[in-house]
Amino acid sequence: MEHMATHMPYRSWCPHCLRGRGIDTAHRRTQDGAGREVPHICADYGFFTHTHSREEEDAHAPMLVMRDQRSGATRSMIVPRKGPTPAWVPEAASRWIESLGYGRVILKTDQEPSIVAWAEAVKRHRNAHLAETVLEHSAAGESQSNGIVERAIEEVKGMVRTMKDALEARLKHRFNGSEPVLAWLVEHAGQVITKYKVHPDGKTSYERLKGKKCTAAAVELGEKVMYLPLKPARDRSLEARFQHGVFLGTQPQSNEVLIAVEGGVVRARTARRLPEQERWDAAAVVGIRATPWAPTEGDESHHVPIFRPREQEAREEPGQALAAAPARSRRMPIQRKDYERHGWTETCPACRGLAANAITRGNHTEACRTRMETAVAGDEGGEERLERAQQRMAAQSEGAGPAPPDDRGGARQDQRPDEEEEEAAMD
């Protein structure tokens, strides 16, 4: 039944909708921002608590919710703490705002110091990409003046309760509130609201932004599926193309599906549903340890990789492990234009120096390189760059003679000497 995948719209006959969101409230026409010259993005924190006491809120991870007043698009995510850290929190918010297609925006929050500091970090990140952000704060002590996001928070909470109740019924398992899969549920809730909630004009937020309906097949979060990896590590023509995994939602910017596998979470372009009797595996869902901010176990980069974290390493033949190559020159060169396209890493000293046009010869941090390699792989021609680098690393580690040409090598006749020097400083 399609309703079970999204629980949109609210249906009184659905027990999970009834338990999660109670009676349906009347749709009130609110100003959607269509007449505003500058788009407004409203943001605030929410908590899954029984009371609003400071002690109870301090014991729970906060939920950050953003809503585009013009389209109604919603982004929701669990964050480790309030404020501008860790750096991936404002970076993820900035990328989401960019995905809306706006240049100059007004970012509206209340005057709580933590959310103000977060908004300032988002502004810095967007300014680095030449996108202007104007900060605006609601009147002190008047949360209703930022009612757009207050309603968004309640919608997200209701959707999370609804989908959690449905998932528990599917798995015949009760969650205690600490399972990592619930953090993915929060991320998915904003996506469901954006793609499937119909506004008074008959359109969803997705349609308002994209000019078309979301045609991707709806899948329930926690459902076991068969997925096709974006790109295999090497040619495996005799091996199965589709693999099993657990569906955890989609990427907000690319609509790539997120799949839980052994060792973490990976991105995929295609997922196929299994027969009804094969879709639910309580042990697989409860056993998920990856979180949205650490999709690969032990790595808190917030960037979901393409390949299976453990299986890829296990399948490497002796002498072919790419990580064994110690020389930095064998790795994929990351150019300044890549950082200008995908943004600087705030916690990386080399990025800070380059963003300020300072003369730097330091190396980028490992987390920074990992983030950029993942981002560049999604660019046009990026996968080929990554594949050439992997071939160089494999060939050099095996002593197999000349390696494929480096992206920075002599084949680029149009490269100036100062560009070569700059890339060397960034590698």
Side-chain angles (χ1 to χ4, degrees):
M1 187 181 298
E2 289 299 321
H3 173 77
M4 295 297 292
T6 64
H7 294 279
M8 278 291 185
Y10 172 91
R11 290 291 182 247
S12 59
W13 50 258
C14 174
H16 311 299
C17 284
L18 190 62
R19 284 195 288 263
R21 287 179 281 176
I23 62 174
D24 194 12
T25 56
H27 288 288
R28 295 182 177 87
R29 181 176 293 276
T30 59
Q31 185 178 2
D32 61 5
R36 293 180 179 267
E37 182 177 350
V38 181
H40 280 57
I41 309 297
C42 305
D44 201 359
Y45 293 111
F47 292 88
F48 289 94
T49 58
H50 297 290
T51 68
H52 295 286
S53 67
R54 177 67 64 181
E55 293 75 14
E56 190 172 6
E57 288 186 354
D58 290 342
H60 293 76
M63 172 180 66
L64 177 64
V65 176
M66 296 175 287
R67 172 159 287 179
D68 170 25
Q69 188 173 358
R70 178 176 292 180
S71 69
T74 303
R75 178 77 162 95
S76 53
M77 56 183 176
I78 293 294
V79 296
R81 66 189 73 88
K82 290 183 175 182
T85 59
W88 64 259
V89 176
E91 288 176 3
S94 178
R95 288 195 298 272
W96 180 75
I97 295 174
E98 181 183 2
S99 73
L100 301 177
Y102 303 144
R104 183 172 185 257
V105 301
I106 293 177
L107 181 56
K108 185 175 182 179
T109 66
D110 60 27
Q111 297 188 39
E112 182 183 0
S114 58
I115 193 74
V116 171
W118 166 84
E120 291 173 345
V122 173
K123 179 179 179 178
R124 289 193 300 271
H125 191 272
R126 297 196 77 236
N127 285 350
H129 292 74
L130 303 180
E132 183 181 359
T133 305
V134 179
L135 301 186
E136 182 178 297
H137 307 301
S138 58
E142 297 183 13
S143 60
Q144 292 302 317
S145 62
N146 200 13
I148 297 291
V149 72
E150 297 295 333
R151 288 190 291 273
I153 290 173
E154 291 307 312
E155 283 187 30
V156 170
K157 285 183 177 180
M159 183 56 63
V160 170
R161 287 192 296 266
T162 299
M163 293 192 296
K164 172 178 174 290
D165 190 74
L167 184 58
E168 289 177 336
R170 292 289 199 185
L171 300 178
K172 297 178 174 57
H173 173 84
R174 299 286 293 180
F175 295 109
N176 60 28
S178 62
E179 293 87 352
V181 70
L182 299 182
W184 294 100
L185 204 62
V186 172
E187 297 247 344
H188 189 50
Q191 290 284 306
V192 168
I193 292 170
T194 298
K195 293 179 179 178
Y196 301 104
K197 178 185 176 181
V198 179
H199 297 285
D201 62 356
K203 296 181 179 180
T204 65
S205 299
Y206 186 92
E207 288 180 83
R208 289 176 172 180
L209 290 169
K210 307 290 186 180
K212 60 182 179 180
K213 293 184 178 181
C214 178
T215 58
V219 180
E220 293 184 58
L221 188 138
E223 185 177 324
K224 193 174 180 180
V225 297
M226 295 286 287
Y227 76 96
L228 180 66
L230 285 178
K231 187 175 180 65
R234 61 168 64 90
D235 181 25
R236 302 186 189 281
S237 56
L238 296 180
E239 297 186 13
R241 298 184 63 195
F242 278 77
Q243 302 168 16
H244 282 97
V246 176
F247 177 78
L248 291 181
T250 58
Q251 285 276 71
Q253 287 80 25
S254 65
N255 282 331
E256 294 168 334
V257 294
L258 303 175
I259 305 294
V261 297
E262 182 183 1
V265 175
V266 297
R267 293 178 287 129
R269 182 66 183 90
T270 303
R272 296 283 185 262
R273 304 186 79 175
L274 296 171
E276 179 69 31
Q277 65 273 18
E278 300 178 19
R279 293 179 182 176
W280 303 104
D281 185 341
V285 175
V286 176
I288 294 172
R289 292 292 175 264
T291 62
W293 55 89
T296 302
E297 292 182 11
D299 176 18
E300 296 190 1
S301 65
H302 193 253
H303 292 274
V304 183
I306 295 176
F307 306 120
R308 296 169 69 100
R310 287 182 176 172
E311 184 179 76
Q312 180 186 356
E313 180 180 353
R315 288 183 174 181
E316 294 287 356
E317 300 174 2
Q320 289 186 326
L322 302 185
R328 287 183 306 221
S329 60
R330 299 172 185 166
R331 304 181 67 173
M332 182 182 74
I334 302 177
Q335 304 165 8
R336 185 185 185 91
K337 64 181 181 182
D338 297 323
Y339 280 95
E340 291 174 345
R341 179 182 299 113
H342 298 287
W344 312 102
T345 304
E346 290 189 359
T347 56
C348 176
C351 275
R352 288 198 294 267
L354 287 165
N357 291 321
I359 298 176
T360 176
R361 291 295 182 269
N363 294 326
H364 290 270
T365 63
E366 192 63 27
C368 177
R369 282 201 59 91
T370 301
R371 180 183 76 85
M372 287 302 302
E373 288 174 351
T374 303
V376 170
D379 292 340
E380 182 178 357
E383 292 184 354
E384 288 74 15
R385 287 176 59 187
L386 183 60
E387 186 174 356
R388 286 196 299 270
Q390 291 173 340
Q391 292 174 356
R392 285 197 305 274
M393 293 164 68
Q396 292 181 10
S397 63
E398 294 173 357
D406 192 292
D407 289 334
R408 303 177 304 188
R412 287 185 56 190
Q413 301 296 327
D414 60 334
Q415 187 175 35
R416 302 189 313 270
D418 59 331
E419 287 180 330
E420 297 177 350
E421 183 180 5
E422 183 177 76
E423 289 181 8
M426 300 177 69
D427 191 17

